Amino acid sequence: MPLIEIPLIGLGTLENKDPSKTPASIAKAIELGYQHIDTAQLYFNEEIVGKGIQQSGISRDEIFLATKVSPVFLQPDDVKRTTRESIDKLGVEYLDLLYIHWPAETYEPQSTLDAFNEVLEEGLTKHIAVSNFTPPLLDEASAISKAPLIANQVEMHPLLRQNEMLEYVKKHDIYLVAYSPLAQGQVFEIPEVQEVAERRGISEAQVSLAWLLSKDNVIAIPKATSEAHQRANLEAAEIKLAPDDIKLIDSIEDEDRIMDPYFAPDW
Ligand SMILES: NC(=O)c1ccc[n+]([C@@H]2O[C@H](COP(=O)([O-])OP(=O)(O)OC[C@H]3O[C@@H](n4cnc5c(N)ncnc54)[C@H](OP(=O)(O)O)[C@@H]3O)[C@@H](O)[C@H]2O)c1
């Protein structure tokens, strides 16, 4: 079992930054029961997401709030300055989780991780983690960091099954936080996902999320702005797929990675 418990379905917020709609949609999600919210400096929406959290009226300790330091701010002074800025924008006193967004640009393992450990010791965040790290990069980072890196947030869905990273997180008792868990809509077109959806009388989105949550140590953070999608995704946490359903999705051979910027590591 990993060190701490994190709500298994979190709310992704990439591209959710319309000042006239986003706060209400975040507040609605919280009202429906979301207790884990994922944002990032790079999404340029921390202030708007923060407004939604405040609007919901939920008490701070009932929300697991995660943000990520941009790859251009991974030098020590920038880590400290921008983490404080993120906290201010979000309108909170502390974060639950602070990620290194990508092992890229200004990332320098020793000094970046030292800075992450400092903001942790200062109480700016309760936990630290990484995103888009490969197993060797995670080995290196974990060896340097004094505090445990509790998660690796990586792209995962039926078209990117992450078998190696699944083994890794199990072995090291950390979380794999699955981003783009619906492959931004592409999972709806996969015949195997459609077959399971029909068999179980659930949506393709729910198949993808229930399949992800059938794996040890996996958390999923689908982005949903509409109430219907938010509700359906939250319900997926209660759906248990049959072993045959899981096997069918495991057997998909097609592969597609959505997020592969020029600075991505050698996957
Ligand atoms: N660490 C990283 O580098 C990284 C990279 C990418 C993403 N992320 C995080 O992961 C989160 C999720 O990934 P994502 O935003 O790329 O894509 P995603 O969650 O795979 O897909 C989001 C899309 O699916 C739609 N959708 C959601 N629930 C649905 C449902 N039940 N039925 C039908 N359609 C549904 C959404 O529509 P509506 O909005 O209209 O509801 C939206 O268009 C991001 O928001 C972000 O927080 C992290």
Side-chain angles (χ1 to χ4, degrees):
M1 278 292 286
L3 209 60
I4 58 157
E5 271 190 48
I6 303 177
L8 296 181
I9 294 279
L11 185 70
T13 64
L14 175 67
E15 297 301 336
N16 193 357
K17 55 179 177 186
D18 179 341
S20 68
K21 294 193 187 130
T22 301
S25 95
I26 303 278
K28 175 50 86 180
I30 293 170
E31 191 187 304
L32 292 175
Y34 282 84
Q35 289 189 298
H36 171 183
I37 306 220
D38 182 84
T39 181
Q41 293 172 353
L42 267 182
Y43 303 167
F44 301 104
N45 67 357
E46 289 172 313
E47 215 161 332
I48 295 178
V49 168
K51 269 198 189 133
I53 297 173
Q54 271 96 61
Q55 209 169 296
S56 77
I58 195 159
S59 70
R60 174 66 189 91
D61 59 355
E62 286 181 55
I63 282 282
F64 186 89
L65 182 57
T67 194
K68 314 180 193 82
V69 178
S70 162
V72 297
F73 294 135
L74 292 171
Q75 288 185 355
D77 287 350
D78 291 335
V79 169
K80 294 173 205 164
R81 175 180 57 81
T82 65
T83 299
R84 286 195 192 95
E85 285 171 5
S86 289
I87 288 174
D88 286 347
K89 286 181 186 163
L90 285 160
V92 292
E93 301 282 311
Y94 64 90
L95 304 163
D96 292 286
L97 186 54
L98 184 69
Y99 292 97
I100 295 173
H101 202 151
W102 287 88
E105 306 278 5
T106 58
Y107 176 61
E108 197 283 309
Q110 186 73 51
S111 60
T112 301
L113 284 153
D114 283 351
F116 267 65
N117 275 270
E118 278 180 46
V119 297
L120 180 77
E121 280 159 24
E122 258 184 69
L124 301 183
T125 184
K126 289 196 184 265
H127 304 282
I128 54 175
V130 298
S131 178
N132 297 301
F133 275 48
T134 58
L137 285 166
L138 196 40
D139 277 340
E140 176 188 48
S142 302
I144 292 170
S145 182
K146 278 188 267 164
L149 301 169
I150 66 158
N152 189 16
Q153 184 178 130
V154 292
E155 181 176 338
M156 183 176 172
H157 44 68
L159 293 173
L160 192 63
R161 291 164 297 281
Q162 293 284 10
N163 291 327
E164 192 188 359
M165 192 47 74
L166 282 176
E167 285 301 314
Y168 189 100
V169 297
K170 235 165 95 171
K171 181 169 166 212
H172 295 272
D173 267 351
I174 63 172
Y175 285 110
L176 188 164
V177 178
Y179 76 67
S180 305
L182 308 176
Q184 297 187 343
Q186 285 185 57
V187 299
F188 312 148
E189 309 303 327
I190 306 169
E192 290 85 348
V193 173
Q194 292 172 334
E195 186 181 324
V196 176
E198 197 166 323
R199 207 147 71 193
R200 301 284 154 223
I202 57 179
S203 70
E204 284 82 2
Q206 290 177 319
V207 171
S208 190
L209 297 172
W211 170 78
L212 284 162
L213 298 188
S214 75
K215 308 292 180 192
D216 290 338
N217 299 20
V218 172
I219 290 172
I221 50 166
K223 173 220 171 194
T225 48
S226 75
E227 182 179 341
H229 289 167
Q230 290 174 352
R231 201 184 283 278
N233 296 348
L234 206 52
E235 282 168 9
E238 309 303 323
I239 298 171
K240 295 272 170 281
L241 295 180
D244 280 357
D245 301 334
I246 296 170
K247 242 192 242 163
L248 183 61
I249 296 179
D250 288 341
S251 74
I252 294 172
E253 283 180 359
D254 287 352
E255 182 134 339
D256 197 3
R257 184 188 287 279
I258 298 169
M259 297 292 167
D260 205 7
Y262 71 90
F263 52 71
D266 197 3
W267 302 114

